Amino acid sequence: MTEHLTLDEGTIAYDLVGEGQLVVLAHGMGDSRHSYRFVVPALVAAGYRVANVDLRGCGDSSTGWSGYSRIDIAGDLVALVRHLGGPAVIVGQSISGGAATIAAATAPELVVGLVELAPFTRAQSVDLAGLLRNSAHRKGTVQLAKVMLSGSLKGWLSYLDLAIPAKPADWSDERARIETILSRPERMQVLRSMTKTSPAEAGAYLPNVQCPVLVVEGGNDPDWADPKAEGERILADLPAGLGELAVIESAGHYPHTETPGELVELILPFLTTTLARATGGDRA
């Protein structure tokens, strides 16, 4: 059953299932909590209480918010963890990876671990050589530019076709569902607004993170010419010893959708050690 958290500017929708320590799942822009459909059952079966959230303006959450920055999203995530009773590990993908970074840095008593999936968590620069060398990176960048400049739904769907090279079995239905949602002008406006936000604001918080961080990159992610190098740069900006990097070579920008089994195998050991450390060894 979908629940709603009422905040000052609107409502945040989320599903809460399972029992045990809290794990919060946050998706990327233009998406919804449905993107974690393959991951939630595995986490619940492993003994975790899972809050799968729609970002502000996305899914079943309300529109009309004054901003859609990573700082804004971080505030929503912290409010949800506080509402549900932390501490929690936040799993954030793309824009939510950056938001989770800010949440951890600003509320260390509530956020005790981060899993960042293909995160935009630091300042970006144009990689001209990479654009020339990597055709998928070049094509993906062009499609994202179309979304940012004109709110092109066709551009977003073309980007997704590149960003999800390992299509899940239900991709035809899922793609149609996304198209239907983003055909609504207010939802596309949220996506367009998110494309205009800067990950640099999250990068400023990386040195202040106090909890363990697992960064997971997809080896075929078209958002970077070299996804592994981007992950390494994030780890370099964290305090020494906090971060670890894993690369799922066959995945693109959505490892939770494309390679959920491999992702869960990475997440579960991280959750066990991180939450045990945060609660003094008591996993229950």
Side-chain angles (χ1 to χ4, degrees):
M1 181 180 296
T2 302
E3 302 182 43
H4 292 83
L5 174 64
T6 300
L7 301 176
D8 289 344
E9 292 189 44
T11 59
I12 298 296
Y14 64 96
D15 295 332
L16 184 65
V17 290
E19 297 180 357
Q21 293 175 303
L22 181 62
V23 180
V24 174
L25 306 179
H27 60 81
M29 63 183 184
D31 213 336
S32 74
R33 68 190 190 280
H34 195 251
S35 64
Y36 284 103
R37 61 197 179 277
F38 304 126
V39 173
V40 171
L43 296 182
V44 171
Y48 293 100
R49 183 168 57 124
V50 180
N52 190 13
V53 62
D54 281 333
L55 302 189
R56 54 171 56 200
C58 301
D60 292 317
S61 293
S62 63
T63 57
W65 301 77
S66 61
Y68 296 95
S69 70
R70 286 158 181 78
I71 290 176
D72 295 324
I73 296 167
D76 299 341
L77 295 176
V78 170
L80 181 62
V81 174
R82 183 176 289 114
H83 173 70
L84 296 176
V89 170
I90 297 180
V91 180
Q93 186 251 341
S94 198
I95 191 173
S96 288
T101 297
I102 299 169
T106 56
E109 75 285 2
L110 293 174
V111 183
V112 295
L114 300 177
V115 179
E116 301 198 10
L117 310 178
F120 276 93
T121 307
R122 51 179 299 281
Q124 302 291 299
S125 58
V126 177
D127 181 356
L128 294 177
L131 288 170
L132 292 172
R133 182 179 70 252
N134 187 322
S135 63
H137 178 47
R138 183 170 63 253
K139 293 174 183 177
T141 300
V142 168
Q143 299 306 326
L144 286 176
K146 291 179 181 178
V147 178
M148 180 186 295
L149 294 173
S150 67
S152 169
L153 177 55
K154 181 179 179 181
W156 181 250
L157 294 174
S158 295
Y159 163 76
L160 289 180
D161 285 335
L162 291 166
I164 305 177
K167 303 292 191 293
D170 66 349
W171 177 238
S172 178
D173 291 339
E174 182 66 6
R175 188 182 188 278
R177 189 187 67 81
I178 293 170
E179 182 175 10
T180 297
I181 292 172
L182 293 180
S183 294
R184 298 166 59 183
E186 70 275 16
R187 297 296 179 182
M188 174 51 74
Q189 183 55 49
V190 172
L191 169 57
R192 191 179 178 190
S193 296
M194 287 184 175
T195 66
K196 297 178 181 180
T197 63
S198 172
E201 65 183 11
Y205 286 87
L206 281 170
N208 300 325
V209 172
Q210 301 176 30
C211 64
V213 181
L214 171 62
V215 176
V216 180
E217 300 283 3
N220 287 327
D221 191 335
D223 282 334
W224 297 278
D226 187 343
K228 181 180 178 181
E230 176 64 18
E232 290 170 342
R233 286 189 285 266
I234 294 171
L235 264 58
D237 289 342
L238 286 165
L242 282 187
E244 58 180 299
L245 172 65
V247 179
I248 301 177
E249 294 296 345
S250 61
H253 196 59
Y254 296 81
H256 54 311
T257 296
E258 301 171 77
T259 55
E262 290 180 68
L263 179 63
V264 169
E265 288 181 0
L266 292 170
I267 291 177
L268 289 182
F270 178 82
L271 292 178
T272 298
T273 57
T274 299
L275 287 168
R277 182 185 298 114
T279 57
D282 180 11
R283 187 184 178 283

